[in-house]
Amino acid sequence: MDGVEQKDTEANAPSVIDRYYTRWYRADMKGKPCEDHCILQHSNRLCVITLAETHPVLQKGRTIKNINYQISNACSRLNNKVSGKSKRGGQFLTDFAPLCRITCTDETEYTIYSCIRGRLLEVNESILERPALLLEKPSTEGYIAVILPKFEESKSITENLLTREQFESVVSKRSVAQSQTS
Amino acid sequence: MSPAVMLPLKEKDKPIVQKLLSAGCCARCVLRFCCVSVHAAYRQPHQETLKELQTFISSDTENGKSQDPDPAAPESTEEDNKSQDASVSEASDDPPSKKAKLDPGVSDAPPEGVKESDVCMLCLGILQDLCGPSRAVKIAETVKTENYTFDTLVLSVSLPAQLCVREHSCWLHVKKEVREKSSVLDKDDVIQVKEAFKWVMQGLVAKELGGVAVVTKSQFEVGVEFIHPETDADCHFLATTCGDCFKPTKNKLSMFTRMAVVKALEKISDSKFLKHFPCPPTRPSSSCTAQDIQCLHVSVFVAGRYNKFCRSLPQTPWVIDGERRMESSVEELIAAPVLSSFRADGFNFSSSGREDVDVRTLGNGRPFAMELLNPHTSRLSRAEMKQLQETINNSSDKIKVRDLQIVSREAMGRMKEGEEEKTKSYTALIWTQKPIQREDITFIDEIKDLTLDQKTPLRVLHRRALAVRQRVIHTMNARFLDPHHFHLGLRTQAGTYIKEFVHGDFGRTKPNLCQLLKTDTDILELDVESVDVDWPPAIPE
Ligand SMILES: [Zn+2]
């Protein structure tokens, strides 16, 4: 009885994301199957880059060994510093700029990309200390980075992204295909 | 008609007067260049002064008769002068040729009307017919129509910039003669058009307004502006001789501002100036045009505290992409009655912090202050302020105002002063993902002076700098409602982001309530219970 009531209220849970953010997706990033990204766009145009629930890193049994924001010898996203209201000094990213590489204990490695054009404001250093956060709360505390699109591009940056409905249909087709091949 | 004033002119002024009159200077401008600072000399009708000057230059004595009026028969002064001049002139040592040259302008002058209609090449008519009783009537009428309340007023005058160029040319024209009069005199000793205008007009305006004091400093300013398009091009040559002085500016119609022209004139050499500009200046065909008279009262400041009882009311008008999002706002609800009571043209609203659109402000309310621009009424009594407060409170049940009062501009600073150090109290309605029991939340009451590290919230990060700020929650108390809801009371340092403390803002506020309760939590409602700023002073009911 208690359990039922609990389920009920949890289902009606209001969420900060639902209230203030729009979910956008990029499926099969760079042609790699299921490497889906989720972009949370705030009504103030700012975007939080996260892993979609379907991303291989989040699939059963995987454990993260290492998260690295050093994307090349010359460039580390950890060195990103912005100052002032105008966010001077932030790295400017294009759609396919790598943000970090995640290595799992099974030695699989995944690159997470910016997905949109904009200025990098911050990366999530908390997941360096506690990689488990990424698995437990991928769409909130386990976010990857915060990007601020240019004001004039705040609408156009999502043109190449999938809406939640479109993404769900991609995912459902995917599971049909999988069940057919297996 | 007031009796003619004795013009304080000396023999050495004569060449100056002669030169200026024949160049097309009006009588008052002649007085200015003779450095006459006796106000009364300017106040008499300029036509009268002209006659006196003409008489003065035609007299050959060391002390012109014009300096020695007959107090018993003021109206006949001129006649007396003429007759005496004539007799004295016979004893003159001047060569006859000079006398002959002057005479046509004086005794055989063309009909007076023609002479009087001539526009002064120096003041462009400002010290002629634009400066006298009819102008004063016009100014007084405007002030009366606008219906300001005031004790004193200051007259301000805005003149076309080319007046400086003409003044400079004229100075070069008579410099030699002025220096001969007194070696200590310089261009700065010439009385300014503006000054002479005020000497004439202040008294007249005061009289028209029933004895209001027209002073040099006042809260109430009446602005008179003259333009003269015909001679606007006078300044243009300066741009080629002194390019540095003239830079196009965004908010000025012309780059030939008075300041820039004065600066350029200081730099240019006399010879260069004379190459580009006639000396003396040429006569204009028309007189200046008077622009609309501008009245301006200094701002009045009003302060108080407001409550906001509505969760769909922004503090200031909310506009996104040029479109209005909510029909009203706190500042508009307060401002409308205040503006109408003070009959002000506009306002600037500020407050000790602000709440979000969906947050209520209860308790004693939030201190606010308003600058009222150009108030036509500047003083309201205690009782009238109380009445105004009631009007605001009766106009809407979404807000309430208390402690409404007039304050000084300086006092307004006190509202912002202690803002950071002050505390604020809130009540929040909290939702928890996991069900809770009464005893699960009692530990919250024991937490004292909890220091938070708050990264700039994502919801404001687009317009504020990214930083980690330490904020203190002094005390909290939890009141259980049901297994998923409780009321959380907080007393915090000002500047603490409560919403982010509750939901954690993607873990960017640490610690947060989710961590403390080990479950996701969200904030459903927020009320400000008190803003502990002790300004403005409370007004007993
Ligand atoms: Zn003049």
Side-chain angles (χ1 to χ4, degrees):
Chain A
M1 186 65 192
D2 268 347
V4 173
E5 194 191 316
Q6 190 183 323
K7 273 258 149 49
D8 213 316
T9 49
E10 275 189 42
N12 292 333
S15 118
V16 173
I17 292 176
D18 292 329
R19 266 183 287 153
Y20 302 116
Y21 295 82
T22 308
R23 289 180 169 88
W24 299 95
Y25 294 87
R26 231 183 235 282
D28 307 319
M29 177 59 92
K30 287 205 148 190
K32 294 176 184 165
C34 301
E35 293 194 22
D36 308 328
H37 289 49
C38 175
I39 300 96
L40 303 173
Q41 187 173 32
H42 194 279
S43 53
N44 68 15
R45 87 174 185 270
L46 185 139
C47 293
V48 182
I49 311 302
T50 67
L51 298 188
E53 312 92 72
T54 48
H55 196 281
V57 169
L58 305 177
Q59 301 320 303
K60 276 196 179 73
R62 284 223 164 82
T63 313
I64 294 170
K65 189 171 120 189
N66 177 31
I67 299 169
N68 194 353
Y69 280 112
Q70 179 93 39
I71 46 104
S72 71
N73 287 340
C75 179
S76 169
R77 301 304 182 199
L78 289 173
N79 293 336
N80 191 71
K81 288 270 180 318
V82 294
S83 65
K85 289 178 185 177
S86 57
K87 317 294 187 296
R88 284 181 307 277
Q91 300 169 3
F92 195 84
L93 308 175
T94 52
D95 296 23
F96 295 107
L99 291 172
C100 68
R101 289 184 223 291
I102 301 174
T103 313
C104 297
T105 45
D106 60 6
E107 294 306 322
T108 51
E109 192 188 275
Y110 303 91
T111 302
I112 313 302
Y113 295 91
S114 65
C115 303
I116 54 154
R117 284 165 54 79
R119 194 177 292 279
L120 181 63
L121 299 193
E122 66 179 49
V123 296
N124 187 0
E125 295 186 31
S126 301
I127 56 174
L128 298 179
E129 296 153 29
R130 276 191 59 205
L133 266 183
L134 191 55
L135 304 180
E136 290 161 15
K137 298 185 168 183
S139 60
T140 57
E141 285 185 62
Y143 73 97
I144 304 294
V146 179
I147 296 175
L148 183 65
K150 287 182 179 173
F151 183 79
E152 60 273 22
E153 293 180 352
S154 54
K155 295 224 159 56
S156 61
I157 46 144
T158 54
E159 277 168 8
N160 298 323
L161 303 178
L162 302 176
T163 63
R164 192 164 196 185
E165 291 72 35
Q166 288 169 331
F167 177 68
E168 275 166 2
S169 108
V170 166
V171 171
S172 63
K173 276 177 195 149
R174 207 184 262 165
S175 48
V176 169
Q178 262 176 357
S179 60
Q180 278 171 348
T181 52
S182 59
Chain B
M1 199 78 221
S2 56
V5 177
M6 176 170 68
L7 295 177
L9 296 174
K10 298 269 159 56
E11 190 61 23
K12 278 183 172 172
D13 285 310
K14 215 172 256 183
I16 307 172
V17 176
Q18 273 169 346
K19 225 170 163 181
L20 289 175
L21 282 182
S22 56
C25 236
C26 76
R28 285 173 179 144
C29 283
V30 170
L31 296 182
R32 292 195 301 114
F33 269 78
C34 293
C35 306
V36 171
S37 59
V38 178
H39 297 194
Y42 294 85
R43 286 195 191 122
Q44 68 174 350
H46 64 96
Q47 298 92 337
E48 301 278 317
T49 310
L50 184 63
K51 281 179 200 160
E52 284 183 38
L53 289 173
Q54 286 164 342
T55 310
F56 169 63
I57 52 171
S58 63
S59 73
D60 289 324
T61 49
E62 274 296 306
N63 300 299
K65 180 66 180 76
S66 57
Q67 285 189 59
D68 186 21
D70 181 353
E75 293 299 333
S76 62
T77 307
E78 201 191 15
E79 285 309 308
D80 289 349
N81 281 351
K82 266 187 186 156
S83 56
Q84 197 172 340
D85 287 344
S87 64
V88 174
S89 70
E90 279 170 7
S92 168
D93 291 336
D94 274 343
S97 61
K98 188 177 177 188
K99 187 129 188 25
K101 211 169 100 189
L102 281 166
D103 272 341
V106 187
S107 41
D108 299 326
E112 276 186 7
V114 175
K115 188 78 191 163
E116 278 166 12
S117 73
D118 281 349
V119 177
C120 172
M121 56 76 175
L122 205 43
C123 67
L124 305 174
I126 290 165
L127 295 179
Q128 295 172 295
D129 295 337
L130 292 167
C131 181
S134 64
R135 198 75 218 135
V137 168
K138 190 110 195 193
I139 293 171
E141 266 173 12
T142 307
V143 173
K144 283 180 196 161
T145 309
E146 301 235 8
N147 198 15
Y148 282 87
T149 54
F150 60 96
D151 297 328
T152 62
L153 73 82
V154 59
L155 203 58
S156 77
V157 189
S158 168
L159 304 172
Q162 58 266 35
L163 244 58
C164 303
V165 179
R166 289 175 168 263
E167 198 87 347
H168 190 68
S169 164
C170 192
W171 165 252
L172 296 180
H173 185 54
V174 295
K175 187 162 84 171
K176 192 173 138 276
E177 287 77 5
V178 174
R179 291 265 166 79
E180 269 166 17
K181 173 185 168 183
S182 165
S183 58
V184 297
L185 289 176
D186 200 13
K187 193 183 170 189
D188 294 340
D189 297 302
V190 173
I191 307 298
Q192 293 189 7
V193 174
K194 208 176 262 194
E195 286 306 303
F197 181 85
K198 287 181 185 174
W199 290 344
V200 179
M201 295 300 288
Q202 279 170 343
L204 294 172
V205 171
K207 205 177 104 201
E208 289 299 327
L209 288 171
V212 163
V214 179
V215 293
T216 53
K217 230 182 157 200
S218 169
Q219 307 242 297
F220 181 50
E221 179 186 313
V222 177
V224 186
E225 186 186 358
F226 296 102
I227 56 163
H228 198 254
E230 184 193 330
T231 57
D232 273 345
D234 280 1
C235 304
H236 292 183
F237 78 93
L238 289 169
T240 58
T241 63
C242 180
D244 290 354
C245 300
F246 302 96
K247 301 234 165 64
T249 47
K250 270 180 258 168
N251 33 13
K252 288 268 159 50
L253 257 80
S254 161
M255 61 180 182
F256 295 100
T257 62
R258 199 180 169 81
M259 286 257 283
V261 168
V262 168
K263 202 169 137 201
L265 288 173
E266 277 168 9
K267 286 190 175 178
I268 195 168
S269 69
D270 290 356
S271 60
K272 209 166 184 185
F273 181 91
L274 293 172
K275 230 178 264 168
H276 288 90
F277 199 79
C279 177
T282 51
R283 284 180 174 226
S285 61
S286 66
S287 169
C288 274
T289 309
Q291 299 289 85
D292 285 345
I293 292 152
Q294 302 289 333
C295 299
L296 182 68
H297 195 287
V298 297
S299 297
V300 166
F301 297 85
V302 164
R305 288 185 174 76
Y306 73 79
N307 290 129
K308 170 171 161 329
F309 300 121
C310 179
R311 292 200 193 278
S312 57
L313 182 70
Q315 194 208 40
T316 51
W318 195 9
V319 178
I320 294 176
D321 295 337
E323 244 178 79
R324 182 106 207 212
R325 289 296 279 271
M326 298 271 181
E327 66 180 67
S328 191
S329 66
V330 172
E331 68 163 42
E332 285 165 288
L333 289 173
I334 297 174
V338 174
L339 283 184
S340 87
S341 278
F342 285 88
R343 297 185 297 133
D345 289 351
F347 68 93
N348 292 313
F349 188 92
S350 63
S351 61
S352 180
R354 61 154 69 194
E355 62 284 304
D356 292 339
V357 57
D358 54 353
V359 173
R360 298 190 301 179
T361 296
L362 309 174
N364 279 332
R366 183 187 297 280
F368 71 92
M370 288 173 78
E371 175 180 12
L372 302 173
L373 305 170
N374 196 13
H376 288 47
T377 298
S378 50
R379 271 168 311 201
L380 263 65
S381 68
R382 275 255 165 138
E384 286 167 322
M385 287 303 284
K386 207 176 154 123
Q387 181 55 50
L388 171 57
Q389 179 171 303
E390 252 157 60
T391 307
I392 296 168
N393 292 341
N394 292 335
S395 70
S396 169
D397 49 14
K398 293 177 177 173
I399 59 149
K400 184 175 188 269
V401 166
R402 81 189 68 211
D403 303 334
L404 195 70
Q405 57 196 281
I406 294 174
V407 298
S408 68
R409 181 192 287 270
E410 295 70 39
M412 250 182 84
R414 296 202 42 208
M415 186 175 72
K416 296 276 175 194
E417 245 167 43
E419 220 173 47
E420 286 284 294
E421 298 86 67
K422 301 293 176 174
T423 61
K424 296 195 180 181
S425 302
Y426 301 89
T427 301
L429 177 60
I430 308 295
W431 170 88
T432 64
Q433 190 193 32
K434 287 184 195 157
I436 49 165
Q437 292 183 317
R438 229 165 253 282
E439 52 272 26
D440 291 338
I441 56 173
T442 51
F443 78 97
I444 289 174
D445 295 22
E446 310 303 318
I447 299 173
K448 298 280 180 275
D449 293 326
L450 177 69
T451 300
L452 310 180
D453 289 323
Q454 289 203 301
K455 279 193 185 144
T456 307
L458 292 174
R459 70 184 155 100
V460 298
L461 185 56
H462 62 299
R463 57 184 165 87
R464 297 208 187 138
L466 176 61
V468 183
R469 294 181 186 82
Q470 290 211 323
R471 290 290 183 268
V472 179
I473 299 181
H474 300 295
T475 58
M476 287 190 279
N477 66 82
R479 278 169 287 138
F480 182 86
L481 291 170
D482 65 51
H484 287 283
H485 299 93
F486 69 95
H487 269 135
L488 178 67
L490 308 100
R491 201 167 65 80
T492 74
Q493 181 183 357
T496 310
Y497 292 105
I498 306 301
K499 289 176 175 175
E500 279 68 21
F501 166 67
V502 174
H503 62 61
D505 197 26
F506 291 73
R508 297 169 73 261
T509 286
K510 283 178 187 164
N512 55 58
L513 196 61
C514 308
Q515 290 175 323
L516 297 178
L517 286 167
K518 299 188 178 66
T519 174
D520 279 357
T521 57
D522 199 0
I523 182 163
L524 306 184
E525 288 177 355
L526 181 62
D527 292 333
V528 178
E529 297 289 350
S530 77
V531 181
D532 302 330
V533 173
D534 56 7
W535 189 90
I539 293 177
E541 288 297 314

